[in-house]
Amino acid sequence: MILKKIISTILALSMVLALSSCTKNADISGEVQSPSAAENSDNPAFTQTAKEKELYGGDERITFTIGIPKKENVTDYENNYFTKWIEEKCNVDLEFVFFSPKQDEYLIQIATIMAANEKLPDILWGVVFPDDIMAEYDNGGYFLDLNRWLKDEEFMKGYDSFEFFSNPKNCSPEDWNFYNRKNINPTDGKRYHIGEFTAGSSDDMYIKMFINESWLKALGMAMPTDYEAFVEVLRAFRDKDPNGNGIKDEIPLLGSINTCEETTAWNDPVRWLINNWVYYNENYLFNATNGRLWLPSECDEYRTALKEIKKLVDEGLLSTKIYTIKEYSELKSLYFPDEGVQKVGAFSGHLTLVSVTDHPGLYEYTWLDPFNNAPLNQAFVSAEVSVSSACQYPERAMKLLLATASREGTMVQRFGEEGIDWEEISDPIDGHTIVKTINHNAFAGITDKTWALCSTAMRNSRNPYFNRTVERKDPVREMNWDDYKSLIYSGSFTSYLEHGNRNNPTEIVKWYPYTSQERTELGTIKTEYVAFIRRARAEFLTGVRDINSDADWNAYLEQCRQIGSEKLLSISQQAYTRMKNAS
């Protein structure tokens, strides 16, 4: 039983990890304080209309506890704009129970509550359970089935989030099916969780790569369109002082392995480079040819890629800082230094996370087209909001979730306060209303405007109010900083689609319908396998292993087998074949 496994882990760690302190003086065992209703209702921005009262609230003001991983950059949850918005739209008071921001730690904290038969918070927000743990908890009766409301058309009348839950606009059937698979229990067909859905152009790219166009112009070099030309550009960046400061301080190519989220490779230049030889996306792990799965991380093309990338490292073209940088702040200081002279020729990274607001260096960069394969991320789908079966007011809790999943709720939890942090441009382009960010620091919950978790945000950048396409101006510095960032994202995404349609495999398998027995058999093999190939890749590129040695390569393949790659492949092939036969 999964819960027993977690409890044994707790015991091994001397029971419970220390909990975060909290704005409302709450932890998973402490007293909770909440603001009075009058604190918020004095603000005319938070008046509740009659329609909102009917849809989201009720005559009685009630209190909900929200269990949430506490984000360091959100210092005030009590007076947070998103908190106040929810409280007055839904006629509720919110009290917060804070968990660790780290998944492995908050899973233990939640398991501790369950093991002690203590009451869970009314709503768990931003809490993501691994599939096996989620199935265990779902079947254990810890959370409510939300389908009792979501499938009740009479109840759902009037909610603009109803359209999303029934048939979202501009969403591919594949993405929508994936969202449902992530959120619906395969055993009983019930929906115990809802979560974020994002299919946005700036996040769709598996790896984001940018190049200093000003350096290219200073050197009289053309934009590279293939790998060989790219290597020549990197050599020129290294040798010819393109930033013009007379110091040999240029870093030709940089990124970071350690800052990559589990499901993205935005900051990892190595995986971008590998795709010049073989389609490689660790999210999906397997490639498929004529109905048969295979592991690209064990093929000859993968080894060839590592040989060529090792040459970049040996020549000082790819900085080994990619393995030592651990924080976004380190990337920011290198990509956009305080002194204003750019040091990096080409880099990988998510601009929202690695750029410095209004730094003039951003205008020196543009997107770098993929040269071969262009792997995309699947739509971001999560199952991270749940209503506890101990919740005293379940229908009101569901109304609260529908409020946050509404168009307005989505905008508030993503961007902050309309008119202060963001605005809609009244003249849409091609029927798409543009969201313009006013306060860059409010965007994505960087300050105390949101909870830094878009957990019920039904965001889709291909939907009308999230397309941030802008027109390029000449010179580019006449453009707003945020508009220019959106411009190069838009261009990069278009380029990714074009190259992907032309070069990517015709079949990309994104999900496998493992049975509970298959999941049990697999255990932790996949997690251990991915961790190993990432570690071995770093060892090959830093010289710990010799990629040119057949003995070292064969030892690597043998270690893959010892971890269980053959079993992983066999069980996944079963699930894949079953899915193909059923379609």
Side-chain angles (χ1 to χ4, degrees):
M1 184 174 174
I2 299 297
L3 183 55
K4 289 181 179 178
K5 292 180 182 178
I6 297 176
I7 297 304
S8 66
T9 304
I10 298 170
L11 294 173
L13 293 175
S14 301
M15 289 303 292
V16 187
L17 294 164
L19 299 172
S20 305
S21 60
C22 63
T23 307
K24 294 186 178 178
N25 302 320
D27 60 27
I28 60 172
S29 60
E31 294 289 325
V32 186
Q33 298 176 359
S34 64
S36 65
E39 281 186 65
N40 295 338
S41 57
D42 289 341
N43 189 334
F46 294 103
T47 56
Q48 186 188 44
T49 67
K51 181 180 180 181
E52 288 168 342
K53 183 176 181 180
E54 178 185 354
L55 288 175
Y56 303 132
D59 294 325
E60 178 186 3
R61 192 174 184 93
I62 60 175
T63 299
F64 284 118
T65 52
I66 306 290
I68 188 170
K70 189 176 189 298
K71 299 294 186 180
E72 290 183 3
N73 51 310
V74 182
T75 59
D76 188 347
Y77 282 82
E78 178 179 326
N79 297 301
N80 191 288
Y81 182 84
F82 187 41
T83 301
K84 290 177 175 289
W85 182 88
I86 292 174
E87 288 182 328
E88 295 316 308
K89 292 294 179 185
C90 301
N91 194 27
V92 298
D93 290 316
L94 299 184
E95 299 172 346
F96 293 92
V97 177
F98 292 114
F99 302 123
S100 166
K102 297 180 180 179
Q103 185 188 44
D104 58 343
E105 294 182 4
Y106 71 61
L107 290 176
I108 292 174
Q109 293 169 338
I110 292 169
T112 303
I113 298 175
M114 294 176 171
N117 292 319
E118 295 178 358
K119 180 184 176 182
L120 284 169
D122 295 313
I123 298 171
L124 293 186
W125 184 282
V127 172
V128 181
F129 296 109
D131 289 347
D132 53 352
I133 295 177
M134 183 165 65
E136 179 76 18
Y137 289 167
D138 289 352
N139 297 329
Y142 293 102
F143 304 112
L144 296 179
D145 175 20
L146 305 180
N147 271 341
R148 72 172 76 171
W149 297 286
L150 293 174
K151 288 192 172 183
D152 184 341
E153 292 191 18
E154 190 64 31
F155 175 83
M156 293 292 289
K157 280 182 179 177
Y159 293 105
D160 64 4
S161 47
F162 172 64
E163 182 179 18
F164 176 84
F165 286 110
S166 57
N167 185 21
K169 284 184 178 180
N170 299 329
C171 173
S172 71
E174 182 183 61
D175 284 342
W176 179 235
N177 289 336
F178 183 56
Y179 179 83
N180 282 320
R181 288 196 298 264
K182 289 287 287 186
N183 287 276
I184 294 177
N185 186 290
T187 303
D188 57 20
K190 295 180 180 180
R191 187 189 295 266
Y192 298 98
H193 316 272
I194 61 173
E196 178 184 7
F197 177 93
T198 307
S201 57
S202 67
D203 290 337
D204 275 352
M205 291 170 283
Y206 183 55
I207 307 104
K208 307 169 190 295
M209 187 68 74
F210 305 95
I211 191 167
N212 195 311
E213 194 173 22
S214 296
W215 286 14
L216 290 174
K217 291 177 179 177
L219 298 174
M221 300 187 76
M223 181 69 67
T225 57
D226 57 41
Y227 180 76
E228 289 73 21
F230 182 53
V231 174
E232 289 305 311
V233 164
L234 294 180
R235 288 173 178 148
F237 284 172
R238 179 193 62 191
D239 299 333
K240 297 185 177 181
D241 191 28
N243 66 9
N245 66 352
I247 303 171
K248 197 174 180 64
D249 57 355
E250 289 84 357
I251 302 173
L253 175 59
L254 186 60
S256 169
I257 307 304
N258 298 305
T259 54
C260 290
E261 289 77 6
E262 286 185 15
T263 56
T264 66
W266 291 325
N267 310 318
D268 186 350
V270 174
R271 281 184 262 181
W272 189 88
L273 292 166
I274 290 172
N275 271 277
N276 285 289
W277 287 272
V278 61
Y279 181 85
Y280 190 71
N281 186 329
E282 278 178 18
N283 287 342
Y284 310 141
L285 198 58
F286 304 101
N287 289 358
T289 304
N290 297 325
R292 303 302 299 176
L293 300 181
W294 51 280
L295 288 161
S297 46
E298 297 181 25
C299 72
D300 291 341
E301 290 82 1
Y302 179 83
R303 184 186 182 189
T304 299
L306 295 189
K307 287 180 179 180
E308 294 301 318
I309 298 168
K310 181 63 165 63
K311 293 178 185 177
L312 298 182
V313 175
D314 292 344
E315 288 190 48
L317 304 180
L318 173 61
S319 173
T320 55
K321 289 179 183 289
I322 63 173
Y323 295 112
T324 59
I325 293 173
K326 297 185 181 300
E327 304 293 338
Y328 277 112
S329 58
E330 295 178 76
L331 284 178
K332 287 183 178 183
S333 66
L334 289 167
Y335 291 171
F336 301 97
D338 291 339
E339 63 268 26
V341 178
Q342 297 309 115
K343 302 291 180 62
V344 178
F347 70 84
S348 55
H350 192 306
L351 287 178
T352 298
L353 300 174
V354 302
S355 57
V356 177
T357 303
D358 289 328
H359 194 290
L362 177 70
Y363 297 98
E364 295 190 23
Y365 293 94
T366 189
W367 70 89
L368 181 62
D369 291 337
F371 304 136
N372 193 1
N373 298 304
L376 295 169
N377 281 313
Q378 197 164 30
F380 283 95
V381 167
S382 63
E384 56 186 55
V385 177
S386 318
V387 179
S388 165
S389 57
C391 178
Q392 189 177 355
Y393 303 99
E395 185 170 301
R396 290 283 295 275
M398 187 68 229
K399 289 183 176 184
L400 185 154
L401 299 188
L402 289 171
T404 61
S406 68
R407 181 187 185 281
E408 182 182 0
T410 291
M411 299 296 280
V412 171
Q413 67 177 303
R414 177 63 172 170
F415 295 103
E417 186 175 359
E418 184 176 8
I420 303 297
D421 304 306
W422 61 275
E423 63 182 2
E424 290 186 2
I425 298 176
S426 58
D427 184 20
I429 296 177
D430 296 331
H432 292 76
T433 303
I434 303 169
V435 174
K436 181 180 180 181
T437 304
I438 301 171
N439 174 10
H440 305 293
N441 288 330
F443 178 74
I446 296 172
T447 60
D448 292 317
K449 289 286 188 174
T450 81
W451 299 346
L453 286 166
C454 302
S455 296
T456 58
M458 305 311 173
R459 298 185 288 127
N460 185 337
S461 291
R462 292 187 286 272
N463 270 354
Y465 43 88
F466 292 114
N467 189 314
R468 306 174 75 222
T469 303
V470 292
E471 234 177 90
R472 184 163 190 162
K473 297 179 181 178
D474 193 24
V476 295
R477 289 186 186 235
E478 290 182 8
M479 296 186 70
N480 169 279
W481 181 89
D482 204 51
D483 282 350
Y484 184 69
K485 184 178 72 171
S486 296
L487 169 74
I488 58 179
Y489 267 152
S490 176
S492 184
F493 179 63
T494 301
S495 171
Y496 251 70
L497 289 181
E498 291 174 352
H499 283 79
N501 291 335
R502 184 166 59 247
N503 300 322
N504 288 355
T506 55
E507 181 178 15
I508 298 172
V509 188
K510 300 180 179 181
W511 180 80
Y512 300 87
Y514 297 118
T515 64
S516 57
Q517 181 179 347
E518 287 170 339
R519 281 197 298 267
T520 300
E521 289 181 40
L522 284 173
T524 60
I525 291 176
K526 181 177 179 181
T527 302
E528 292 173 3
Y529 180 79
V530 170
F532 170 70
I533 59 176
R534 289 179 181 176
R535 184 171 66 251
R537 186 162 63 230
E539 290 171 348
F540 278 126
L541 294 182
T542 56
V544 176
R545 298 174 187 252
D546 184 357
I547 190 61
N548 294 300
S549 163
D550 289 343
D552 280 11
W553 178 252
N554 290 332
Y556 160 75
L557 295 178
E558 177 58 29
Q559 285 178 274
C560 288
R561 286 190 285 271
Q562 289 175 3
I563 289 170
S565 62
E566 292 177 341
K567 184 176 183 179
L568 173 62
L569 183 59
S570 174
I571 292 176
S572 299
Q573 181 69 54
Q574 288 176 193
Y576 167 65
T577 301
R578 187 169 56 247
M579 179 175 65
K580 291 281 286 184
N581 290 340
S583 60

